[in-house]
Amino acid sequence: EIVLTQSPGTLSLSPGERATLSCRASQSVSSSYLAWYQQKPGQAPRLLIYGASNRATGIPDRFSGSGSGTDFTLTISRLEPEDFAVYYCQQYGSAVRTFGPGTKVDIK
Amino acid sequence: EVQLVESGGGLVQPGGSLRLSCAASGFTFSSYWMTWVRQAPGKGLEWVANIKKDGSVKYYVDSVKGRFTISRDNAKNSLYLQTNSLRAEDTAVYYCVRETLSSGYFDYWGQGSLVTVSS
């Protein structure tokens, strides 16, 4: 099983600031099969990024993903009020999918 | 419009069983791998199990192996999760999730069904 770790656990920032979230895998994620999701309280998660760097339909271009192998990054270039949420990475390089523990982005 | 609607959650005693169902609509159900993901109160997401389009292949997270069974009925556009020998740590919202056609990330989620294991 591929274990994902995310850092930091919590990121306190102000609207307009840049957010950089990290996701590290215990072994290489084949073909960059890494996705990112956003979850707000009381809601199901929403797909943001797939294939490490491809934005899902309807996702604003302030969201970007990068990385390969074992190290991946989600960047939010300028935080909007609606971006304060929890973000999860997920690998699908193996049949047993796994999620990271999440990074909470809250308002400073 | 793609819709995934879970049902069957509730309060159950430790050691008990529940069968979760997910009614799918708005897409060709038999063409997609399907997944169950759970989230304990105040915790993160945990992938639980998935099942191939025709039901012939299934995978589980280690913590539920031998206790949970994922299944599907393509004629009824339905996904199921039979949960047995339930423990307090199985308390969670269980989401029915569609994997994309081309790969194993998740593009549509249900609203979730709460399972509470408590005496």
Side-chain angles (χ1 to χ4, degrees), chain A residues 1 33 35 37 39 42-47 49-51 88 90-92 95-101, chain B residues 33 35 37 39 43-47 50 59-62 95 99-100 103-107 109-111:
Chain A
E1 175 182 312
Y33 285 159
Y37 301 84
Q39 189 180 32
Q43 297 183 16
R46 175 175 73 144
L47 175 68
I49 301 285
Y50 64 92
Y88 297 93
Q90 177 240 334
Q91 66 78 25
Y92 50 100
V96 175
R97 322 302 192 195
T98 50
F99 287 95
Chain B
W33 281 70
T35 291
V37 173
Q39 186 168 35
K43 303 297 184 183
L45 302 171
E46 181 180 36
W47 179 89
N50 64 358
Y59 296 97
Y60 299 90
V61 67
D62 284 349
Y95 292 101
E99 294 195 6
T100 58
S103 205
Y105 58 95
F106 310 125
D107 56 359
W109 298 65
Q111 85 287 351

Side-chain angles (χ1 to χ4, degrees), chain A residues 31-85:
Chain A
S31 304
S32 295
Y33 285 159
L34 194 286
W36 290 92
Y37 301 84
Q38 176 193 68
Q39 189 180 32
K40 297 179 181 179
Q43 297 183 16
R46 175 175 73 144
L47 175 68
L48 298 176
I49 301 285
Y50 64 92
S53 61
N54 302 289
R55 272 188 301 277
T57 302
I59 301 304
D61 61 6
R62 65 180 180 273
F63 291 92
S64 63
S66 63
S68 63
T70 61
D71 290 294
F72 299 88
T73 300
L74 175 69
T75 301
I76 311 171
S77 59
R78 296 171 309 280
L79 282 165
E80 297 288 339
E82 62 268 28
D83 299 336
F84 292 93

Side-chain angles (χ1 to χ4, degrees), chain B residues 4-69:
Chain B
L4 299 167
V5 180
E6 302 94 338
S7 60
L11 175 63
V12 60
Q13 292 188 337
S17 299
L18 274 180
R19 189 195 197 204
L20 302 179
S21 299
C22 171
S25 61
F27 65 102
T28 305
F29 181 72
S30 59
S31 296
Y32 290 82
W33 281 70
M34 296 296 295
T35 291
W36 288 98
V37 173
R38 68 183 178 182
Q39 186 168 35
K43 303 297 184 183
L45 302 171
E46 181 180 36
W47 179 89
V48 174
N50 64 358
I51 185 168
K52 193 177 178 180
K53 295 176 279 188
D54 62 359
S56 62
V57 178
K58 307 171 187 181
Y59 296 97
Y60 299 90
V61 67
D62 284 349
S63 59
V64 308
K65 280 180 184 175
R67 301 188 299 123
F68 290 12
T69 302

Side-chain angles (χ1 to χ4, degrees), chain A residues 11-29:
Chain A
L11 196 52
S12 296
L13 295 168
S14 301
E17 289 193 294
R18 181 184 187 90
T20 303
L21 288 66
S22 174
C23 176
R24 179 162 291 177
S26 60
Q27 56 189 276
S28 183
V29 177

